[in-house]
């Protein structure tokens, strides 16, 4: 990464100033008011020991911690000396409190099959799975890779690992053989938990065949545990492979959760690879548990009768923290949907909301923009009145997409929380609290408890209101990553080495006078046009605000005069044609001539990671007329690149 040493400011061009107040009846019932947020946030910074002891004290510890934080920059230990178990807190604790009959997981498959697990049933399955893992020789500290569809067994396997102190590494079921093999080797996993197949858009994805192929080059693997999801006729290698249902049937349903140290590793998870080679992010037990517990409860204003749906796959951190750990730690009812959002059509999500009376929906801008592209009719056909809160995560959400989500899905009745965080942060860092703060579409908002953000130059100079710069966090927080698995040097350098004594997130941002932080894109993606540094997010937002544009990705390309020119890749809104000249004029009008695209490429798809994020590094290569280089293994559909490279510039 190269940084100009003199001017690190990112110019702030977008003048988005809509402010949406939370609905009065939501405010009246909210868990936290504005005053409570202010008081608790202050305390979390002034008296972190007291604040975090109170939160951690709501959970079960087999041994109480001696010290809240031990900080030897850049290594933090939280709840030092404490012993606990995340699975115990997510399951046994609720069953012991008489809530065993409450639905924990409500699962729907693409073909419409529905399964339901109460907390007591889920606990029994997790205990059996824990016994089965132990019988296969998995011990505390051993790594277990999970390569599964989004089925309840994925959550059960994660919790079973946590229960015995094994470290899980979930690899998204859509990843290829080589991506799977690389991750197994990096973690040196002993066991792979997979399935015979998964369902996607009506067809079967043969996970076991991929697993078998990967296993040819993964010497650390001893066993495979295979969930029968489809028809159970996958070839099994005797001595190595076992069926999940047989192993669980043979296992007892008594199991005591292991008391592990607060700093015992809980999982390794590889980042999505939007900017480069994925990093194996390591999270540990106590701090991660406390962070996901608190943020799920407060950001989602969680109540006992909510039906909570986070649409993320467990292959991503959002699926870890907000489909499994956070909501189960809070005793919530979680909906899980295995399948594509557009199967059989783009109305599927809204039918799920109606059928299961979903009250909290948490999804990604990429999905919101895809729905928006299809128009208002499909959601309009469903009863969405059960919804009371909407969330967004994964990328900056363009104000236009925010407004659509708020208006069409939320019926202007549901607050929208735009949550900024990363695989590395473990839990939500910046957001508004739904009943406490007004929303500013496009801006994530305020820091969560214990989070102290700042906007800095690369030299560590703190910038004032509205100046764009680098987003950093000034102190450790409980759910932060502890290291990059097997590469502590990379951890030190990438996160704590860029700017002295602060955590460097890799994103560009600005903060307004009210303290709201707006993420302007990744620092790697910032453009330098005639000496002005521009965030990609703002130009993209202006493009998406045009009625003919459904989605946009902006990158720079070398320009002899300006240093860098602006190249925009745009996806037309269904039923519209894009006029390049008109779009240029629109951008000039909306945010200024500086941001006017030099070239516009009308595309039928954008290169995205499998988690749905735009990969601008490849677009930069296409814009510059270069050959595609770098790791393409996390791309959803590599053929998009060839099609784009062959499309003329407008
Ligand atoms: P890699 O680090 O391998 O390039 P990645 O950064 O996409 O991949 P994640 O940890 O899944 O991997 O994503 C975190 C990033 O996603 C953030 O750094 C930020 O760029 C973006 N992001 C997530 N949520 C938001 C949000 N609400 N607003 C703006 N950006 C967001
Ligand atoms: Mg990242």
């Amino acid at each position: 990464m190269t940084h100009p040493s003199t001017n690190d400011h990112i110019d702030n061009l977008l003048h988005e100033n809509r402010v949406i107040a939370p609905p009065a009846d939501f405010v009246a019932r909210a868990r936290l008011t504005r005053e409570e947020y202010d008081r608790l946030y202050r305390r979390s910074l002034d008296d972190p020991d007291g604040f975090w002891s109170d939160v951690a004290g709501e959970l079960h510890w087999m041994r109480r911690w001696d010290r809240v934080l031990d900080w030897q920059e850049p290594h933090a230990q939280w709840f030092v000396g404490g012993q606990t178990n995340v699975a115990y807190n997510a399951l046994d604790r609720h069953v012991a409190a008489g809530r065993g009959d409450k639905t924990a997981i409500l699962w729907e498959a693409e073909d419409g099959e529905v399964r339901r697990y109460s907390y007591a049933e889920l606990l029994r399955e997790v205990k059996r799975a824990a016994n089965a893992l132990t019988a296969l020789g998995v011990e505390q500290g051993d790594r277990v890779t999970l390569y599964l569809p989004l089925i309840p067994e994925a959550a059960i396997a994660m919790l079973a690992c946590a229960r015995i102190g094994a470290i899980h590494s979930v690899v998204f079921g859509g990843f290829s053989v080589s991506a799977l093999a690389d991750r197994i080797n990096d973690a040196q996993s002993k066991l792979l938990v997979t399935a015979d197949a998964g369902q996607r858009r009506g067809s079967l994805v043969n996970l076991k065949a991929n697993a078998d192929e990967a296993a040819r080059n993964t010497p650390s693997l001893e066993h495979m545990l295979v969930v029968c999801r489809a028809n159970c006729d996958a070839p099994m290698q005797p001595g190595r492979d076992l069926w999940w249902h047989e192993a669980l049937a043979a296992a007892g349903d008594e199991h005591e959760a292991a008391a592990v140290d607060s700093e015992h590793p809980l999982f390794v998870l590889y980042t999505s690879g939007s900017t480069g080679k994925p990093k194996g992010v390591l999270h540990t037990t106590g701090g991660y548990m406390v962070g996901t517990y608190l943020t799920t409860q407060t950001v989602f204003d969680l109540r006992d009768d909510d039906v909570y749906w986070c649409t993320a796959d467990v292959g991503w951190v959002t699926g870890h923290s907000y489909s499994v750990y956070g909501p189960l730690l809070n005793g919530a009812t979680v909906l899980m949907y295995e399948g594509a959002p557009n199967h059989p059509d783009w109305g599927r999500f809204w039918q799920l909301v109606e059928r299961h009376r979903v009250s909290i929906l948490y999804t990604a801008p990429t999905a919101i923009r895809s729905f928006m592209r299809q128009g208002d009719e499909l959601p309009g056909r469903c009863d969405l009145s059960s919804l009371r809160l909407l969330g967004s995560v994964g990328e900056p959400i363009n104000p236009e997409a925010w407004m659509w989500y708020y208006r069409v899905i939320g019926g202007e009745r549901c607050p929208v929380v735009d949550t900024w965080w990363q695989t590395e942060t473990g839990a939500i860092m910046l957001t508004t609290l739904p009943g406490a703060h007004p929303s500013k579409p496009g801006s994530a908002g305020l820091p969560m408890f214990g989070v102290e953000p700042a906007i800095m130059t690369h030299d560590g100079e703190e910038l004032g209101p509205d100046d764009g710069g680098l987003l950093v966090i000034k102190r450790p927080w409980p759910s932060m990553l502890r290291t990059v698995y097997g590469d502590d040097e990379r951890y030190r350098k990438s996160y704590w080495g860029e700017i002295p004594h602060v955590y460097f997130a890799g994103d560009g941002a600005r903060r307004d006078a009210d303290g709201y932080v707006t993420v302007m894109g990744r620092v790697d993606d910032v453009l330098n046009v005639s000496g002005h540094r521009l965030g990609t997010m703002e130009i993209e937002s202006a493009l998406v605000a045009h009625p003919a544009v459904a989605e946009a990705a902006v990158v720079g390309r070398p320009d002899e005069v300006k240093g860098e020119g602006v190249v925009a890749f745009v996806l037309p809104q269904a039923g519209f044609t894009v006029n390049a000249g008109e779009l240029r004029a629109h951008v000039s009008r909306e945010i200024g001539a500086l941001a006017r695209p030099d070239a516009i490429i009308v595309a039928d798809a954008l290169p995205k990671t499998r988690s749905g994020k735009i990969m601008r590094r490849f677009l930069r290569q296409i814009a510059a007329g270069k050959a595609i280089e770098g790791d393409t293994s996390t791309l959803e559909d590599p053929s998009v690149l060839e099609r784009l490279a062959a499309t003329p510039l407008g």
Side-chain angles (χ1 to χ4, degrees):
M1 203 184 297
T2 54
H3 294 281
S5 53
T6 46
N7 180 6
D8 265 338
H9 295 217
I10 305 176
D11 287 277
N12 172 11
L13 299 175
L14 190 70
H15 304 291
E16 172 61 51
N17 45 23
R18 280 175 281 205
V19 178
I20 314 279
D25 55 336
F26 197 103
V27 175
R29 299 183 56 219
R31 281 189 90 103
L32 290 177
T33 63
R34 164 123 229 176
E35 292 65 39
E36 283 160 341
Y37 165 83
D38 287 345
R39 184 178 54 77
L40 286 169
Y41 179 68
R42 249 303 106 224
R43 177 163 186 239
S44 73
L45 296 192
D46 295 345
D47 173 23
D49 286 11
F51 178 87
W52 290 115
S53 287
D54 283 357
V55 180
E58 293 176 17
L59 296 161
H60 178 84
W61 294 76
M62 284 85 167
R63 184 183 186 281
R64 196 182 158 91
W65 56 93
D66 304 313
R67 239 166 332 137
V68 170
L69 171 65
D70 180 345
W71 177 230
Q72 310 278 335
E73 190 192 309
H75 293 116
Q77 294 187 61
W78 284 88
F79 308 107
V80 187
Q83 291 192 332
T84 186
N85 187 289
V86 182
Y88 181 93
N89 275 289
L91 301 171
D92 307 54
R93 197 167 59 91
H94 306 306
V95 174
R99 294 192 297 267
D101 291 339
K102 180 170 177 182
T103 301
I105 294 180
L106 179 57
W107 172 81
E108 182 169 319
E110 204 175 61
D111 65 9
E113 180 194 348
V114 172
R115 264 201 263 161
R116 200 183 279 269
Y117 290 82
S118 68
Y119 271 89
E121 287 163 345
L122 191 62
L123 174 58
R124 198 183 57 226
E125 290 299 295
V126 169
K127 284 180 170 180
R128 282 182 188 277
N131 284 325
L133 295 187
T134 306
L136 285 172
V138 178
E139 292 173 6
Q140 199 164 351
D142 285 345
R143 273 79 58 211
V144 176
T145 297
L146 314 186
Y147 182 60
L148 288 165
L150 190 51
I151 51 178
E153 285 83 354
I156 293 167
M158 289 164 76
L159 290 159
C161 287
R163 201 167 176 89
I164 64 173
I167 306 167
H168 59 71
S169 164
V170 183
V171 176
F172 174 55
F175 272 138
S176 64
V177 172
S178 62
L180 171 62
D182 286 351
R183 287 163 178 72
I184 293 172
N185 287 330
D186 191 78
Q188 289 290 293
S189 293
K190 224 175 171 173
L191 173 71
L192 177 64
V193 183
T194 187
D196 52 353
Q199 288 185 30
R200 190 89 180 162
R201 292 196 184 88
S203 53
L204 290 180
V205 184
N206 198 334
L207 296 175
K208 178 64 163 66
N210 287 356
D212 284 337
E213 208 179 321
R216 287 200 211 124
N217 300 307
T218 53
S220 62
L221 264 196
E222 293 172 8
H223 291 288
M224 259 190 225
L225 204 47
V226 187
V227 177
C228 173
R229 171 75 194 93
N231 36 30
C232 311
D233 65 359
M236 301 289 275
Q237 185 176 306
R240 187 195 67 181
D241 302 351
L242 277 97
W243 286 108
W244 167 274
H245 59 277
E246 291 177 6
L248 263 67
D253 54 14
E254 286 306 316
H255 185 274
E256 197 179 327
V260 301
D261 288 337
S262 177
E263 282 301 329
H264 183 69
L266 179 65
F267 66 84
V268 177
L269 180 64
Y270 295 82
T271 55
S272 16
S274 308
T275 55
K277 187 177 159 10
K279 302 163 274 270
V281 166
L282 181 80
H283 282 287
T284 59
T285 301
Y288 176 83
M289 173 174 80
V290 170
T292 53
Y293 166 74
L294 178 68
T295 48
T296 309
Q297 184 180 94
T298 54
V299 177
F300 299 108
D301 186 63
L302 210 61
R303 292 158 200 289
D304 199 36
D305 56 357
D306 275 315
V307 176
Y308 167 99
W309 184 23
C310 164
T311 67
D313 190 275
V314 289
W316 318 119
V317 74
T318 307
H320 282 58
S321 301
Y322 298 107
S323 299
V324 177
Y325 288 116
L328 295 181
L329 283 164
N330 281 285
T333 295
V334 178
L335 176 68
M336 244 187 206
Y337 166 59
E338 179 206 12
N342 57 349
H343 193 84
D345 62 37
W346 284 100
R348 186 59 187 264
F349 267 29
W350 319 125
Q351 290 154 13
L352 278 151
V353 168
E354 176 179 286
R355 184 151 52 243
H356 300 292
R357 305 298 294 158
V358 171
S359 56
I360 301 172
L361 174 67
Y362 190 33
T363 193
T366 181
I368 298 166
R369 289 189 299 259
S370 303
F371 293 127
M372 189 171 138
R373 199 170 177 218
Q374 309 303 318
D376 302 0
E377 197 206 321
L378 287 168
R381 280 193 210 153
C382 294
D383 175 7
L384 305 181
S385 64
S386 55
L387 288 171
R388 64 178 196 92
L389 177 58
L390 303 173
S392 170
V393 60
E395 280 184 293
I397 177 164
N398 328 87
E400 286 318 303
W402 195 106
M403 289 304 300
W404 185 86
Y405 195 31
Y406 175 70
R407 193 171 51 76
V408 178
I409 304 307
E412 300 187 11
R413 186 184 71 244
C414 311
V416 175
V417 291
D418 174 7
T419 61
W420 177 87
W421 60 295
Q422 311 176 290
T423 309
E424 294 89 338
T425 68
I428 294 167
M429 302 291 276
L430 300 171
T431 184
T432 46
L433 290 185
H437 304 122
S439 300
K440 303 188 183 186
S443 175
L446 299 162
M448 273 310 294
F449 305 113
V451 175
E452 194 184 359
I455 311 298
M456 286 187 170
T457 65
H458 196 248
D459 300 327
E461 182 202 332
E462 215 168 315
L463 295 170
D466 296 327
D467 276 342
L470 314 179
L471 175 58
V472 305
I473 311 293
K474 290 168 77 178
R475 58 165 86 195
W477 64 99
S479 64
M480 68 188 259
L481 81 165
R482 298 304 193 257
T483 190
V484 171
Y485 194 76
D487 193 353
D488 197 54
E489 196 46 35
R490 191 167 177 201
Y491 168 71
R492 288 170 179 276
K493 273 207 194 127
S494 318
Y495 304 106
W496 297 90
E498 284 282 332
I499 307 173
H501 311 305
V502 296
Y503 171 86
F504 173 63
D507 289 341
R510 65 167 183 271
R511 183 156 58 171
D512 70 11
D514 299 330
Y516 279 53
V517 177
T518 297
V519 176
M520 299 160 84
R522 292 156 194 286
V523 174
D524 297 24
D525 294 334
V526 167
L527 318 183
N528 195 333
V529 181
S530 308
H532 295 271
R533 288 162 51 77
L534 311 180
T536 44
M537 152 74 170
E538 297 190 308
I539 310 177
E540 289 164 7
S541 291
L543 287 163
V544 173
H546 189 280
V549 178
E551 192 153 20
V554 164
V555 297
R557 70 161 179 218
D559 183 296
E560 279 183 13
V561 180
K562 299 196 284 186
E564 247 181 328
V566 178
V567 179
F569 294 80
V570 299
L571 226 64
Q573 176 74 21
F576 281 83
T577 37
V578 168
N579 176 313
E582 188 189 310
L583 218 48
R584 283 199 184 90
H586 165 80
V587 172
S588 293
R589 228 173 16 246
E590 289 281 304
I591 58 176
L594 203 55
R596 209 179 127 90
D598 295 282
I600 290 178
I601 298 172
V602 180
D604 63 359
L606 296 171
K608 289 188 177 173
T609 60
R610 286 174 198 262
S611 53
K613 300 183 196 208
I614 299 166
M615 281 170 113
R616 294 180 189 75
R617 61 190 161 103
F618 296 124
L619 292 177
R620 274 199 297 273
Q621 296 169 355
I622 292 173
K626 288 192 200 149
I628 301 295
E629 262 177 45
D631 185 359
T632 54
S633 70
T634 61
L635 266 179
E636 160 105 62
D637 174 10
S639 75
V640 170
L641 296 179
E642 290 147 40
R643 289 208 301 284
L644 282 176
T647 309
L649 307 192

